Amino acid sequence: LQRLPRLMNSKIYLNSEIPSHRVFSSLQSGNVTPDSHEYTATVPALGPVVYDHENKASPHQSKYFAIFEHRGKQFKVTEDDTIMVDFINNVDIGQEITFDSIMLLASANHTTLGRPTIPGAEVRAIVEEQTQTCKVRVFKKRRRKASSKRTKGHRSLVTLLRVTKIVVGSH
């Protein structure tokens, strides 16, 4: 947590109902006073880290983007984005899919960083299409060998999703 970037004119709120168990080392060394507006004094054992930027608007007024994980890949999305993910079995066109492994939620005046995920947050998407990508051709040749050429190719199966809603949750 101490390696997170220090934001200009922002506060860090550490949101969790678990009692805090340690204090920032900067508080112990005297660099930041407890009544300072830069950081709160304690770090909870678990829970997301919430940055509230010094803006007049509330966090729920601006447009959010989310970073979520699906099958080992991370995707950054906003509402009405269309994304291409690896093929998802047993889904129909028009079916809604929910992704709940949200790693980061952010807007112009609010950022929530999951440790590792944000509880209650989710991204909802509708299946637009199940298709294949363009063919990738792989050509191999050994130099000065007239008979050593090989061309192969493949098309990966993908699912196209349209993001309909980003649910912020109760973080």
Side-chain angles (χ1 to χ4, degrees):
L1 184 62
Q2 293 173 351
R3 286 180 276 166
L4 292 175
R6 186 172 181 180
L7 301 174
M8 298 293 292
N9 297 327
S10 62
K11 297 178 185 176
I12 296 180
Y13 297 98
L14 301 167
N15 184 12
S16 178
E17 296 178 11
I18 299 173
S20 54
H21 69 285
R22 61 184 177 150
V23 177
F24 275 120
S25 62
S26 60
L27 276 174
Q28 293 172 348
S29 64
N31 294 338
V32 178
T33 61
D35 55 318
S36 167
H37 292 288
E38 294 180 5
Y39 297 108
T40 56
T42 57
V43 178
L46 298 172
V49 178
V50 179
Y51 295 90
D52 274 333
H53 309 289
E54 295 289 333
N55 288 342
K56 303 279 190 261
S58 73
H60 300 288
Q61 287 179 348
S62 59
K63 190 174 183 181
Y64 271 88
F65 73 88
I67 297 178
F68 71 95
E69 183 202 8
H70 176 66
R71 292 190 182 168
K73 296 180 183 173
Q74 295 179 8
F75 298 92
K76 177 183 174 185
V77 295
T78 59
E79 289 185 6
D80 297 325
D81 278 355
T82 301
I83 58 171
M84 184 169 51
V85 299
D86 291 337
F87 188 77
I88 302 172
N89 291 326
N90 303 326
V91 294
D92 297 324
I93 306 292
Q95 181 179 346
E96 186 175 68
I97 297 177
T98 302
F99 300 100
D100 59 353
S101 62
I102 311 300
M103 305 169 100
L104 182 127
L105 278 172
S107 67
N109 56 357
H110 185 79
T111 304
T112 304
L113 179 65
R115 298 192 304 183
T117 60
I118 302 169
E122 57 188 33
V123 171
R124 295 181 186 155
I126 291 180
V127 177
E128 292 284 315
E129 188 177 353
Q130 301 260 25
T131 186
Q132 293 179 329
T133 59
C134 295
K135 188 163 190 168
V136 176
R137 297 192 185 274
V138 179
F139 178 74
K140 294 186 178 179
K141 180 185 183 315
R142 291 183 186 89
R143 63 183 183 166
R144 296 187 293 272
K145 309 278 189 232
S147 62
S148 181
K149 294 185 212 172
R150 180 173 63 193
T151 302
K152 286 195 171 191
H154 68 88
R155 297 179 71 184
S156 301
L157 296 173
V158 293
T159 302
L160 293 177
L161 302 172
R162 185 172 42 86
V163 178
T164 57
K165 188 170 185 181
I166 296 175
V167 179
V168 175
S170 61
H171 57 274

